[in-house]
Amino acid sequence: MHGRPRRPAKPEDEEAASAKAAKLRDLQAQVLHNHHARTACRYTKEAIGLSFKLLEINPEAYTAWNYRKLAFQHNVKELSDPEAIKSAVDDELRVVEVALRQNPKSYGAWYHRKWLLNQKLAPVDFKREFGLLDKLLKVDARNFHGWNYRRFLARFMGVPDEEELKYTMDKISENFSNYSAWHNRSILLSNLLIQQSKGFESKQKIFSEEFELVTQALFTDPSDQSGWFYHLWLLAQTSSPDNPQLIASWPSNAAKLTSSLIKEKVEQHTLSSIWSRTVPIVLYFNEPVKGLNQSSVNLKSDLEFSKDIQWRPLTMADSGYSNCWAAYLQISNECSSLQEYSVEVNIPCSDDIVSRSGSNYNSPVHFTFDIELISNDTAQGLDLFDKPVAWNCSESFQSHGNRDPIPVDLLKITSALVEQDSNWHFERLSEEIDLFRELPDDNSKFGKLTLARLLLACAAIKSRGRSLIERKGYCEEALGLFTDLIHLDPSHKQYYEDERSLVLMDKLTCDMETFMNHCSVQVQPNSAPLNHVQLCRLSLTRIGFAERLLWVQMLDLSHNSLRSVEGLEALQHLMFLNISNNQISSFTALEPLMKIISLKVLDLSFNKIGAHSIDTTRYICSSPFSHKIKASEAFEEYQKVNINVEEYWDAIRFFRSLKLAQLDIKGNEIASKENFRTLVVTLIPCLKWFDGEDVN
């Protein structure tokens, strides 16, 4: 560990290890026996002494620590003399110190010490506590358990953050490589800036000083990681707005949607026709937020829709925070001809909408879009999917018909509604870029990575509230740096490939002239024109900047190297998706597609689903057989038709959430498995085409 070479074991070492293991097993058995005993002798001095002997050898014996807590609580109840209670606390603290000598990074030991102090049974000798920490941090200045305990003590005794900040400076001055000191400094500075403490009112002043401090460390030893991580934290604080911002929506301001209505069955005596349709509204923020509801987002329209609007986070996590939120207008109107309706969306300053850092939304936005409801009398009897959709990523793009591609400049919230870029932020980061270009070690992976991040941060600030094309030059330079890093540091190749993919997506979509080469309006038989984007053969491993694709209805991402489709969940208007010939290895990697309500055509052919005998990504999501999710009646039905539910639970979970008309999955290992076709057809009753063949 940490570069220390292992020495080969000697015979006498093996004998000693065997004897130690036998002693441990014996002690563990005795402690467990005492722990589970229901007799009066379970908390005797001898029984507690056995737990001490066990912890002296193995401080990670959590059951022994829990036993000692129960024993301490039991025995201290019988004490009334303050000195006797203090003596009992001191004895327990000494046990912890013995354990820490054996293992200074024992989670159980540090937790037990904090638990003891929180009982507040005796005055705390803070001089002793800080003295213990000083000894431990002299042995290992980066011991994060020790730093965590120091933060606990500082809060416990009310030490001002300013004093603790000086302590971090002392430790950093002793050793620039003290990652834990840099980390503690970031925590303390965040608190002081949020509280607007005296001397910490100006972020510009504080961050300028911190940039100068960390730059000295980086240029002193460019190969040390500690300063680079702190610089990354500073960069995040400098390049991001203080409050969450709405950066995109679809429909966007002044957009016009054309929506074909679906006719519902009605009683014979009903005179008028009833039509229904779901129209998604998507809001995209620059950082994860929570708290979107009917009071924080106001909708007004002369269109009749359900007033019980629920805003949902489009994320697979259960945290309640998401960059992307969607609401679904369930339209139900009596109509017999073309009708156009206006919808107003108003998002005022709100205490409900909050970021993870606790910042409130304070940039009010108001926009309006139109929905044209088309009666499908003219299309009655026609089937949109009477033939399978064919993809051809090699054909040149053409706009079919007289309709031009969608005006992409509508995709962002108008500049007046977005926080203007800070001149100081841009100037400060530009100075950092100039510094890092002068870094003496041209092959420093940290230097190249930080320079790339600085360029992208400048791009974000420069284009904030302005044309996105401001980003293009920064993206081109960053692309070159990530390409260098892929060759310079092959052990982190996948990370650099993902970052490169994000920058490439940024570059392609920020320049409308370039982006339009990838866009067209496609006309499918019996269908209104569809907004089509083709991003094939770009070596993409990850999808980024989905907020610029919210309007897309037909997306071709084939012949890339995608390992995940995270980000596509924001594309709520997407109907046709081609991700064939990629590196998708499991159905859990496709989980975001379960959020897209409009998806009708999906091409997964020639990926790697089922190719791995042990697919650990299957367990990223909850199994229906876990303690959290009960096996539903649907799973029992699949078992009745001889489907191996235990083997296919992730496929079942994925496909039963989709309403596809066409699915292509040939070329994947799983497609050749017995009963898989039957499984898919059972799960998707509306499926018409499977691997190019008519299901019926």
Side-chain angles (χ1 to χ4, degrees):
M1 189 175 181
H2 300 305
R4 296 176 184 174
R6 290 186 178 183
R7 60 183 181 86
K10 298 178 181 179
E12 54 268 29
D13 293 336
E14 293 180 4
E15 291 176 8
S18 298
K20 183 179 178 180
K23 184 179 180 181
L24 266 175
R25 285 193 293 270
D26 182 55
L27 284 170
Q28 285 174 340
Q30 293 182 70
V31 170
L32 285 172
H33 173 76
N34 292 331
H35 187 38
H36 295 298
R38 291 292 178 263
T39 61
C41 64
R42 64 186 303 203
Y43 296 135
T44 62
K45 187 175 181 180
E46 292 75 15
I48 296 171
L50 287 171
S51 68
F52 170 70
K53 289 181 180 179
L54 175 58
L55 291 168
E56 191 177 20
I57 302 172
N58 179 19
E60 299 305 318
Y62 292 101
T63 302
W65 289 117
N66 290 333
Y67 169 77
R68 291 193 70 90
K69 288 181 179 67
L70 295 172
F72 178 82
Q73 289 175 326
H74 176 271
N75 292 335
V76 83
K77 287 178 184 177
E78 301 175 0
L79 302 176
S80 57
D81 180 20
E83 286 300 320
I85 294 173
K86 184 178 184 303
S87 177
V89 172
D90 288 342
D91 288 345
E92 207 63 20
L93 289 173
R94 277 191 287 272
V95 171
V96 175
E97 290 171 22
V98 170
L100 289 175
R101 289 193 194 100
Q102 175 70 16
N103 180 8
K105 296 183 178 180
S106 168
Y107 285 89
W110 285 111
Y111 181 79
H112 194 71
R113 197 171 189 90
K114 287 193 283 188
W115 177 84
L116 276 170
L117 267 58
N118 275 324
Q119 301 307 300
K120 299 180 180 178
L121 296 172
V124 178
D125 185 349
F126 288 108
K127 184 177 180 181
R128 171 185 175 181
E129 296 302 307
F130 280 110
L132 172 67
L133 277 177
D134 286 340
K135 289 178 183 178
L136 286 167
L137 292 178
K138 281 179 181 177
V139 175
D140 181 1
R142 297 185 296 180
N143 185 334
F144 66 91
H145 294 276
W147 282 94
N148 187 36
Y149 188 66
R150 186 178 181 91
R151 284 191 290 273
F152 164 79
L153 283 178
R155 288 193 302 270
F156 196 90
M157 65 180 295
V159 177
D161 286 343
E162 292 88 341
E163 287 188 24
E164 287 298 289
L165 192 67
K166 292 176 184 175
Y167 180 78
T168 64
M169 189 67 253
D170 292 341
K171 288 298 178 183
I172 290 168
S173 298
E174 291 175 9
N175 183 4
F176 276 145
S177 185
N178 194 333
Y179 172 80
S180 295
W182 288 110
H183 175 251
N184 203 40
R185 190 171 184 83
S186 69
I187 294 173
L188 294 166
L189 274 176
S190 297
N191 294 338
L192 289 165
L193 289 167
I194 290 172
Q195 296 162 8
Q196 292 282 290
S197 301
K198 185 178 180 181
F200 294 86
E201 298 88 356
S202 171
K203 281 190 175 182
Q204 295 184 15
K205 175 178 176 294
I206 296 300
F207 286 140
S208 291
E209 293 171 354
E210 293 302 305
F211 269 119
E212 291 174 8
L213 171 65
V214 76
T215 300
Q216 291 178 33
L218 298 179
F219 278 74
T220 301
D221 185 3
S223 64
D224 184 75
Q225 299 181 38
S226 303
W228 294 106
F229 282 111
Y230 188 71
H231 189 279
L232 178 60
W233 176 79
L234 282 176
L235 178 57
Q237 307 310 303
T238 310
S239 59
S240 303
D242 292 337
N243 297 87
Q245 306 285 326
L246 181 68
I247 57 174
S249 72
W250 190 254
S252 57
N253 191 42
K256 292 183 181 293
L257 295 187
T258 301
S259 184
S260 298
L261 297 175
I262 302 170
K263 193 169 184 178
E264 302 286 352
K265 292 182 179 179
V266 296
E267 300 294 333
Q268 291 184 353
H269 63 268
T270 306
L271 298 177
S272 59
S273 297
I274 304 297
W275 308 85
S276 66
R277 174 70 170 171
T278 300
V279 177
I281 300 177
V282 180
L283 301 177
Y284 207 103
F285 295 82
N286 67 322
E287 62 178 312
V289 297
K290 69 174 182 179
L292 272 72
N293 50 50
Q294 292 186 68
S295 60
S296 58
V297 181
N298 303 318
L299 298 179
K300 288 177 60 179
S301 177
D302 50 358
L303 185 65
E304 293 181 17
F305 55 82
S306 171
K307 301 305 178 185
D308 186 24
I309 301 295
Q310 300 290 328
W311 286 93
R312 304 175 189 173
L314 296 180
T315 177
M316 306 316 297
D318 296 328
S319 65
Y321 291 90
S322 179
N323 289 75
C324 189
W325 288 74
Y328 304 93
L329 302 185
Q330 301 290 341
I331 301 170
S332 180
N333 268 23
E334 296 184 1
C335 59
S336 56
S337 59
L338 297 179
Q339 297 184 56
E340 188 169 297
Y341 300 90
S342 177
V343 179
E344 293 183 29
V345 181
N346 183 42
I347 312 174
C349 296
S350 174
D351 291 336
D352 290 341
I353 303 176
V354 183
S355 70
R356 281 201 175 104
S357 64
S359 301
N360 295 323
Y361 180 79
N362 65 356
S363 302
V365 170
H366 177 271
F367 62 93
T368 304
F369 62 89
D370 296 325
I371 300 177
E372 185 180 25
L373 304 182
I374 301 178
S375 162
N376 70 346
D377 289 341
T378 56
Q380 195 167 2
L382 296 177
D383 185 355
L384 177 60
F385 301 105
D386 61 344
K387 293 181 180 178
V389 175
W391 300 87
N392 185 358
C393 74
S394 61
E395 69 177 6
S396 57
F397 265 1
Q398 297 178 354
S399 293
H400 300 278
N402 298 322
R403 183 180 172 189
D404 292 330
I406 193 160
V408 186
D409 58 349
L410 289 179
L411 301 183
K412 59 184 177 61
I413 303 300
T414 54
S415 59
L417 303 176
V418 179
E419 179 183 283
Q420 296 297 317
D421 57 299
S422 162
N423 289 332
W424 174 81
H425 285 170
F426 183 75
E427 291 169 4
R428 177 70 251 186
L429 295 185
S430 296
E431 291 174 10
E432 290 294 302
I433 288 174
D434 293 339
L435 274 174
F436 282 99
R437 283 181 174 145
E438 297 173 4
L439 195 68
D441 186 4
D442 293 333
N443 289 323
S444 167
K445 63 180 180 181
F446 298 115
K448 287 181 180 291
L449 181 58
T450 301
L451 181 55
R453 286 168 171 163
L454 283 165
L455 290 164
L456 297 175
C458 272
I461 294 172
K462 189 72 174 175
S463 63
R464 193 179 297 155
R466 300 177 182 175
S467 170
L468 291 176
I469 200 170
E470 298 269 5
R471 307 172 72 102
K472 190 174 181 180
Y474 295 100
C475 290
E476 288 175 348
E477 186 174 353
L479 275 176
L481 290 166
F482 282 118
T483 301
D484 291 345
L485 284 163
I486 290 171
H487 300 291
L488 182 63
D489 185 17
S491 61
H492 297 98
K493 179 183 177 183
Q494 286 194 1
Y495 171 77
Y496 298 131
E497 286 176 342
D498 285 352
E499 292 299 303
R500 179 189 172 279
S501 295
L502 294 180
V503 179
L504 182 57
M505 289 282 290
D506 190 0
K507 178 189 171 186
L508 288 174
T509 56
C510 73
D511 178 4
M512 292 305 106
E513 184 177 348
T514 301
F515 191 29
M516 282 305 166
N517 294 329
H518 297 268
C519 302
S520 72
V521 174
Q522 296 286 316
V523 179
Q524 295 293 321
N526 311 328
S527 168
L530 299 172
N531 299 313
H532 181 202
V533 170
Q534 191 179 76
L535 299 170
C536 306
R537 295 188 167 90
L538 297 172
S539 300
L540 297 175
T541 60
R542 184 179 172 188
I543 298 161
F545 297 91
E547 68 271 19
R548 301 178 193 169
L549 303 173
L550 300 180
W551 50 278
V552 176
Q553 296 164 294
M554 194 171 187
L555 179 61
D556 190 347
L557 289 165
S558 62
H559 297 86
N560 281 294
S561 300
L562 293 172
R563 296 182 281 265
S564 162
V565 294
E566 185 179 1
L568 292 185
E569 65 275 8
L571 279 59
Q572 289 294 298
H573 293 260
L574 185 65
M575 295 178 64
F576 300 76
L577 176 62
N578 182 4
I579 47 176
S580 63
N581 293 278
N582 276 280
Q583 300 293 316
I584 305 294
S585 61
S586 69
F587 288 113
T588 54
L590 299 168
E591 201 175 16
L593 303 184
M594 296 162 60
K595 297 281 187 180
I596 305 177
I597 67 166
S598 305
L599 191 62
K600 297 298 178 186
V601 175
L602 177 60
D603 192 342
L604 298 172
S605 53
F606 301 102
N607 276 278
K608 299 184 180 300
I609 302 173
H612 305 288
S613 56
I614 300 177
D615 183 5
T616 55
T617 57
R618 284 164 56 97
Y619 307 103
I620 294 174
C621 66
S622 298
S623 160
F625 305 105
S626 74
H627 67 282
K628 293 183 179 178
I629 302 176
K630 295 181 179 178
S632 65
E633 294 179 1
F635 282 91
E636 295 176 3
E637 291 178 12
Y638 305 140
Q639 286 177 320
K640 290 177 183 177
V641 292
N642 297 322
I643 292 174
N644 188 337
V645 175
E646 288 80 2
E647 181 181 2
Y648 291 125
W649 66 264
D650 48 353
I652 294 171
R653 187 171 182 269
F654 174 67
F655 284 120
R656 71 175 178 175
S657 66
L658 303 179
K659 297 180 180 178
L660 299 176
Q662 177 179 327
L663 173 67
D664 293 278
I665 198 168
K666 59 182 177 291
N668 289 275
E669 188 72 24
I670 198 167
S672 61
K673 290 191 175 183
E674 185 181 0
N675 290 331
F676 182 73
R677 186 181 189 278
T678 304
L679 169 69
V680 173
V681 174
T682 304
L683 291 168
I684 314 176
C686 54
L687 192 67
K688 296 194 65 177
W689 301 97
F690 183 86
D691 283 340
E693 297 180 355
D694 192 329
V695 169
N696 298 317

